[in-house]
């Protein structure tokens, strides 16, 4: 079945999703009337007092428009083109996800467009992936250029960009004052693969340190999410993810996140590796305390245990430093660091950074990948790392964090019984709610804002690091209206 793709044309500056030109005709959504009402309200407010009729409902009109905002982007109807496309494709797709109705076909910066030619302000960035925004023009040019030069030749041979990217990751990490003993990198295709490599490397180190084979246990923590492959899933102690595929890989233990007192009993002579997120994303935007990470690293050194920081979501300047552990003393730096997500800005790639001590214990044939390190992915990532490592960008991330937090605090004053604490750093932020956030996520999407959840009743905000201040404010307005449709202000 052929589907009509929207033709984009310049229109009057309607709010997102209100009215757009579609295939030459103006397509008004449910909120077009609200826009017209707003225009009338504006005209009325600018007219002289003497021209207003008695009982002029100006203030109530303003309240209707700006406080009780009509949903401008209702999800596609059952008879829409989007629904027709989904219904045609769905039988051929393994049902691993439950998705809402919109079908996205185009993106630019902070904005996504769907098949119905409606626009959405994206505060998800592909789950902390598109840190430079959707379809960054410089990234697009590099993809096009390298795709015409060399895409793949396998790891049986050298290519220009695998080594260039590895070198850059090491150099920028050291320049940033992070992972002070980093020496080399293994390039792969995804976050799960990066964590699988880290787990395997830790197991190999354990075998070298203790040839008896008794040093094989891995430790992860409550609230963790490290991936869905069997090794990384075994380090993700969430029954929702583990139970359908049990039993897990043997040798995995679980500790309590931020529990300093439990570290000594948790990490023993049998522990080959400890994997932890300095800031948990999926688990609820939980930040590891400095004293906890320092104590954990100290215990790992005492036991000859490899310390792994999973910075797949929190790394690459999302917290305002190149790596989230950048504010820690050197004694708390990791032996292995994993990264992915923002590394490719949407192009699949991951990396596992290791110290020389770890690297020296990995031999040819111990690990490998077919697609990992291909020239196309590595050239894209090389460009992205150069840009994300820019201190000016990192400072802007911190500035935008302040703006988000200010908006959150204002929301908390409006809805004190619904909104709890704000967690996170930089542009990895969580807003704790006392209610199920699902209806709020839906209402926000219907107002042109995309947000996601994590943990228990937590809204997660991971926009592009390039998001503008204006879009932050606009997004917060949409969120306020979404909350108000579900919760009465106090």
């Amino acid at each position: 079945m052929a589907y009509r793709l929207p033709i984009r044309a310049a229109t009057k500056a309607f709010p997102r999703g209100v009215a757009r030109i579609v295939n030459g005709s103006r397509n008004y959504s449910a909120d077009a009337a609200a826009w017209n009402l707003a225009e009338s309200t504006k005209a009325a407010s600018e007219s002289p007092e003497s021209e207003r009729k008695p009982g002029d409902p100006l203030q109530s009109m303003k309240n209707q428009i700006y406080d009780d905002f009509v949903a401008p982007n209702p999800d596609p109807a059952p008879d829409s083109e989007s629904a027709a496309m989904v219904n045609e494709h769905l039988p051929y797709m393994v049902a691993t996800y439950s998705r809402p109705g919109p079908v996205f076909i185009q993106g630019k910066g902070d904005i996504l467009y769907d098949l119905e030619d409606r626009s959405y302000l994206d505060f998800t960035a592909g789950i902390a992936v598109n840190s430079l925004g959707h379809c960054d023009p410089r990234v697009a040019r590099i993809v096009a250029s390298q795709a015409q030069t060399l895409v793949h030749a396998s790891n049986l041979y050298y290519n220009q960009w695998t080594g260039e990217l590895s070198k850059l990751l090491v150099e920028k990490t050291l320049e940033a004052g992070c992972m002070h003993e980093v020496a080399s990198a293994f390039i792969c295709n995804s976050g799960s693969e990066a964590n699988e490599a880290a787990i395997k490397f830790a197991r190999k180190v354990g075998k070298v340190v203790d040839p008896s084979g008794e040093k094989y246990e891995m430790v992860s923590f409550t609230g963790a999410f490290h991936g869905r492959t069997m090794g990384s899933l075994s380090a993700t102690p969430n029954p929702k993810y583990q139970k359908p595929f049990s039993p897990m890989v043997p040798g995995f233990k679980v500790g309590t996140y931020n529990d300093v007192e439990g570290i000594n009993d948790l990490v023993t002579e049998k522990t080959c590796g400890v994997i932890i997120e300095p800031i948990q994303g999926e688990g609820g935007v939980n930040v590891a305390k400095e004293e906890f990470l320092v104590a954990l690293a100290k215990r790992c050194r005492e036991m000859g245990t490899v310390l792994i920081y999973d910075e797949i979501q929190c790394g690459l300047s999302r917290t305002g430093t190149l790596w989230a552990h950048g504010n820690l003393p050197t004694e708390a730096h990791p032996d292995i660091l994993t990264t992915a997500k923002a590394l490719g800005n949407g192009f699949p790639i991951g990396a596992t950074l290791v110290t020389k001590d770890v690297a020296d214990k990995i031999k040819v044939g111990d690990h490998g990948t077919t697609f990992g390190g291909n020239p196309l992915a590595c050239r894209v990532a090389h460009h992205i790392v150069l840009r994300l490592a820019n201190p000016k960008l990192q400072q802007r991330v911190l500035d935008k964090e302040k703006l988000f937090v200010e908006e959150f605090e204002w929301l908390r004053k409006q809805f004190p019984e619904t909104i709890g604490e704000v967690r996170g750093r930089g542009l990895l932020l969580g807003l704790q709610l006392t209610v199920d956030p699902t209806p709020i996520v839906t209402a926000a999407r219907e107002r042109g804002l995309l947000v996601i959840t994590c943990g228990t009743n937590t809204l997660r905000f991971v926009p592009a690091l390039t998001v503008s201040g204006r879009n932050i404010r606009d997004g917060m307005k949409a969120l306020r209206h979404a909350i108000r449709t579900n919760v009465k202000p106090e």
Side-chain angles (χ1 to χ4, degrees):
M1 178 177 179
Y3 294 94
R4 169 187 61 76
L5 294 183
I7 298 174
R8 308 210 180 285
T11 67
K12 186 177 180 180
F14 288 102
R16 278 182 295 278
V18 172
R20 293 187 179 278
I21 300 297
V22 181
N23 285 2
S25 63
R26 177 157 288 161
N27 176 29
Y28 282 89
S29 73
D31 196 48
W35 170 253
N36 290 333
L37 182 57
E39 289 291 280
S40 300
T41 301
K42 180 181 177 183
S45 66
E46 293 172 350
S47 63
E49 291 287 337
S50 59
E51 295 181 12
R52 295 185 191 172
K53 297 178 180 179
D56 184 88
L58 176 61
Q59 191 59 47
S60 62
M61 291 168 67
K62 285 183 177 179
N63 290 340
Q64 178 183 348
I65 294 299
Y66 298 110
D67 290 337
D68 297 323
F69 206 73
V70 179
N73 282 347
D75 283 341
D79 60 349
S80 66
E81 289 184 272
S82 297
M85 176 181 286
V86 168
N87 291 335
E88 179 184 348
H89 294 168
L90 208 55
Y92 304 97
M93 300 167 64
V94 177
T96 55
Y97 285 91
S98 175
R99 302 175 174 93
V103 177
F104 294 123
I105 60 170
Q106 186 176 342
K108 184 68 175 177
D110 304 330
I111 309 299
L112 281 171
Y113 300 91
D114 71 5
L115 187 61
E116 310 299 323
D117 203 29
R118 301 169 308 172
S119 54
Y120 301 78
L121 178 55
D122 184 11
F123 278 2
T124 75
I127 316 180
V129 168
N130 304 108
S131 286
L132 296 176
H134 293 286
C135 299
D136 177 83
R138 283 185 278 176
V139 172
R141 285 194 293 269
I142 287 172
V143 171
S145 172
Q146 190 62 36
Q148 299 175 71
T149 305
L150 180 64
V151 173
H152 176 76
S154 89
N155 282 300
L156 298 177
Y157 312 100
Y158 288 107
N159 72 71
Q160 175 185 0
W161 290 103
T162 309
E164 288 283 359
L165 174 60
S166 300
K167 178 173 179 284
L168 183 67
L169 283 168
V170 170
E171 290 177 343
K172 290 300 181 183
T173 297
L174 292 172
E175 285 178 17
C178 303
M179 196 178 174
H180 65 288
E181 293 185 347
V182 65
S184 54
F186 171 77
I187 309 300
C188 53
N189 305 287
S190 69
S192 284
E193 287 185 49
N195 282 338
E196 288 285 341
I199 292 168
K200 288 181 68 175
F201 293 169
R203 281 270 173 97
K204 178 65 187 296
V205 170
K207 294 291 190 296
V208 174
V209 171
D210 182 1
S212 73
E214 290 299 310
K215 197 176 186 64
Y216 68 93
E217 291 182 348
M218 288 290 305
V219 167
S220 63
F221 293 89
T222 53
F225 182 88
H226 297 294
R228 296 177 185 268
T229 50
M230 284 306 293
S232 59
L233 180 61
S234 298
T236 302
N238 186 327
K240 179 177 71 173
Y241 299 127
Q242 288 188 345
K243 188 175 180 180
F245 308 102
S246 61
M248 294 292 101
V249 175
F252 281 78
K253 296 170 62 178
V254 180
T256 302
Y257 198 72
N258 276 329
D259 177 19
V260 175
E261 293 183 359
I263 289 175
N264 286 353
D265 291 335
L266 185 67
V267 181
T268 69
E269 292 180 351
K270 289 187 174 183
T271 309
C272 67
V274 172
I275 184 167
I276 186 169
E277 300 157 274
I279 302 178
Q280 294 181 335
E282 181 73 17
V285 191
N286 305 308
V287 181
K289 297 176 181 178
E290 180 174 327
E291 63 174 323
F292 174 67
L293 293 177
V294 169
L296 182 63
K298 182 176 182 291
R299 182 61 174 174
C300 286
R301 308 294 183 248
E302 292 171 350
M303 294 293 104
T305 298
V306 173
L307 177 60
I308 304 164
Y309 282 171
D310 175 346
E311 296 218 17
I312 289 165
Q313 184 161 163
C314 63
L316 288 174
S317 298
R318 181 153 288 279
T319 63
T321 54
L322 182 62
W323 302 112
H325 74 271
N327 61 329
L328 297 177
T330 56
E331 59 264 32
H333 286 187
D335 304 296
I336 297 179
L337 181 145
T338 58
T339 182
K341 286 190 180 288
L343 186 59
N345 208 62
F347 201 98
I349 187 169
T352 306
L353 280 60
V354 301
T355 63
K356 185 177 186 301
D357 185 61
V358 172
D360 285 347
K361 295 176 175 63
I362 308 300
K363 304 303 179 184
V364 172
D366 279 348
H367 196 48
T369 170
T370 297
F371 295 110
N374 70 76
L376 176 52
C378 288
R379 185 179 173 190
V380 169
H382 186 275
H383 169 82
I384 290 166
V385 170
L386 280 174
R387 289 173 64 183
L388 294 181
N390 187 332
K392 292 182 179 179
L393 177 141
Q394 293 164 358
Q395 182 56 53
R396 288 194 290 270
V397 168
L398 296 176
D399 294 340
K400 293 166 188 175
E401 174 194 359
K402 294 177 183 177
L403 181 54
F404 263 109
V405 171
E406 288 173 2
E407 295 285 346
F408 290 153
E409 293 298 335
W410 190 90
L411 279 175
R412 186 155 58 176
K413 291 178 182 178
Q414 297 293 305
F415 307 96
E417 299 300 319
T418 302
I419 298 177
E421 67 175 332
V422 177
R423 296 191 296 271
R425 291 211 317 265
L427 292 178
L428 172 51
L429 298 170
L431 192 62
Q432 186 62 53
L433 305 182
T434 60
V435 298
D436 178 8
T438 304
I440 294 173
V441 170
T442 300
R445 185 175 64 249
E446 291 177 341
R447 284 154 180 78
L449 174 68
L450 301 178
V451 292
I452 51 178
T453 63
C454 61
T456 302
N457 295 340
T458 305
L459 289 174
R460 178 171 28 164
F461 299 82
V462 282
L465 305 189
T466 54
V467 63
S468 68
R470 177 177 179 180
N471 280 350
I472 292 172
R473 293 186 181 90
D474 285 349
M476 289 299 99
K477 290 176 184 176
L479 180 63
R480 183 184 74 214
H481 297 309
I483 295 174
R484 183 165 292 176
T485 62
N486 292 277
V487 179
K488 291 182 179 180
E490 300 300 321

